Amino acid sequence: MPLEKNAENNTILKSEFVLPEHAGGEGWTMLHGDAIQIAQNFVPGVFDAVITDPPYASGGATPSEKNRTTNQKYSSMDKDKALPDFAGDQKDQRSWTRWMAGWLWDVKKACRPGASVVLFIDWRQLPSITDALQWAGWIWRGVAVWDKITSRPQKGRYRQQAEFIIWGSNGPMPADRSVGCLPGVFRATNPVNRIHVTEKPLQVMRDVVKICAPGGRILDPFAGAGTTVLAGVLEGYEAVGIEVTDDYYQRSVERIRREMAEQE
Ligand SMILES: C[S@@+](CC[C@H](N)C(=O)[O-])C[C@H]1O[C@@H](n2cnc3c(N)ncnc32)[C@H](O)[C@@H]1O
């Protein structure tokens, strides 16, 4: 259920925490704010999985390349069709790794023992993200692949055709959970008509969220256009998203509402 501005219905955030702007419907909630602040205010043990696609702070080999806007780094759309830029993507690698470890530590406390963690990342930040995950106390268990099928050919080089899905758990991950065998490669092209600069394909997310035990509660602290939240609800989970960029908070809420209405 969506969060309400009264302590009785708000079962996931500490009662003394002033709720940020939020919206929701049956099985989903979007919170508008900074994940770093909100993550410190969850009640312990209320999530069964953290599944997210954080800002990669990537997109270049030099500081000046990395400090370009998210559109310049991640989108080839014409300027007049460009989507809004998003926050949090301009840190250097050390700061980003420290920042990642900080929120991963906080969200771990909000998770039940055995909860899953799933993080999307590109090749450049792959070594740093696995450090951050383990510094925060999660057990790193593997790397799955999102094969984007198409990508720019590079003469004399391999195509950068994949992003990576780092996964692990909060302590032991019992094999007798009621979760079946899951794939290690997820194939889909970038979404057409996307509403976020780095939106993930909905079908990929519908397949990825299945690492969470049936009926569990999923957190996406960097929800963007709400793809994980939507995928989670469509697969029968409860899902909570956090998004700091105003435009993307609004877009995610409108999108989830629209898609859920179409299901009815
Ligand atoms: C890579 S995008 C996520 C895209 C998403 N998976 C989708 O399919 O639309 C990361 C998002 O995290 C948001 N973000 C960055 N820093 C944040 C923070 N401190 N708290 C909450 N959201 C944040 C950005 O605004 C951006 O929309």
Side-chain angles (χ1 to χ4, degrees):
M1 290 298 287
L3 291 173
E4 296 296 339
K5 280 194 188 246
N6 71 60
E8 210 180 2
N9 289 340
N10 177 9
T11 53
I12 61 169
L13 282 157
K14 293 176 185 163
S15 55
E16 65 273 20
F17 181 63
V18 179
L19 272 177
E21 181 184 5
H22 61 278
E26 189 67 40
W28 67 276
T29 302
M30 279 295 307
L31 300 166
H32 184 194
D34 188 338
I36 307 308
Q37 189 208 5
I38 295 173
Q40 292 168 4
N41 286 286
F42 283 124
V43 171
V46 291
F47 291 106
D48 302 283
V50 175
I51 301 178
T52 195
D53 171 28
Y56 292 180
S58 185
T62 63
S64 60
E65 282 175 348
K66 285 188 181 192
N67 283 329
R68 291 174 299 159
T69 67
T70 52
N71 265 289
Q72 288 167 337
K73 292 197 287 185
Y74 305 127
S75 173
S76 52
M77 283 182 182
D78 296 340
K79 260 194 178 154
D80 53 324
K81 293 193 194 117
L83 292 162
D85 282 306
F86 62 82
D89 208 74
Q90 270 77 29
K91 295 176 182 62
D92 69 22
Q93 200 164 39
R94 280 177 62 192
S95 311
W96 181 82
T97 310
R98 170 69 187 82
W99 176 83
M100 290 287 293
W103 69 259
L104 280 162
W105 169 265
D106 287 325
V107 297
K108 181 171 164 288
K109 284 190 283 189
C111 284
R112 296 196 173 88
S116 319
V117 62
V118 178
L119 306 169
F120 277 72
I121 202 62
D122 71 355
W123 65 273
R124 290 189 185 91
Q125 298 288 45
L126 192 57
S128 302
I129 202 168
T130 57
D131 284 348
L133 183 71
Q134 294 170 93
W135 283 340
W138 294 87
I139 297 180
W140 174 29
R141 293 187 178 274
V143 181
V145 172
W146 167 33
D147 173 2
K148 299 194 268 190
I149 303 170
T150 55
S151 67
R152 190 165 50 87
Q154 304 196 91
K155 193 167 179 320
R157 301 178 182 202
Y158 298 121
R159 281 175 189 253
Q160 302 291 4
Q161 188 174 323
E163 290 189 22
F164 304 97
I165 305 169
I166 312 309
W167 62 279
S169 63
N170 181 16
M173 193 179 196
D176 61 358
R177 294 184 318 138
S178 45
V179 174
C181 297
L182 304 173
V185 179
F186 301 84
R187 286 196 178 87
T189 53
N190 268 310
V192 282
N193 301 326
R194 60 184 196 268
I195 59 167
H196 189 288
V197 189
T198 60
E199 186 176 320
K200 297 294 170 283
L202 182 61
Q203 190 57 53
V204 168
M205 295 317 299
R206 290 187 71 156
D207 294 338
V208 164
V209 295
K210 290 178 185 160
I211 195 147
C212 185
R217 186 186 283 137
I218 297 171
L219 171 66
D220 181 353
F222 304 99
T227 316
T228 311
V229 173
L230 180 59
V233 185
L234 292 173
E235 293 300 329
Y237 300 98
E238 186 184 332
V240 177
I242 306 173
E243 175 55 48
V244 76
T245 303
D246 300 352
D247 263 318
Y248 286 125
Y249 169 75
Q250 298 298 347
R251 282 168 183 245
S252 65
V253 170
E254 283 162 21
R255 175 193 186 188
I256 301 166
R257 283 200 177 126
R258 190 176 57 244
E259 301 248 2
M260 294 312 291
E262 278 170 20
Q263 300 291 315
E264 286 168 11

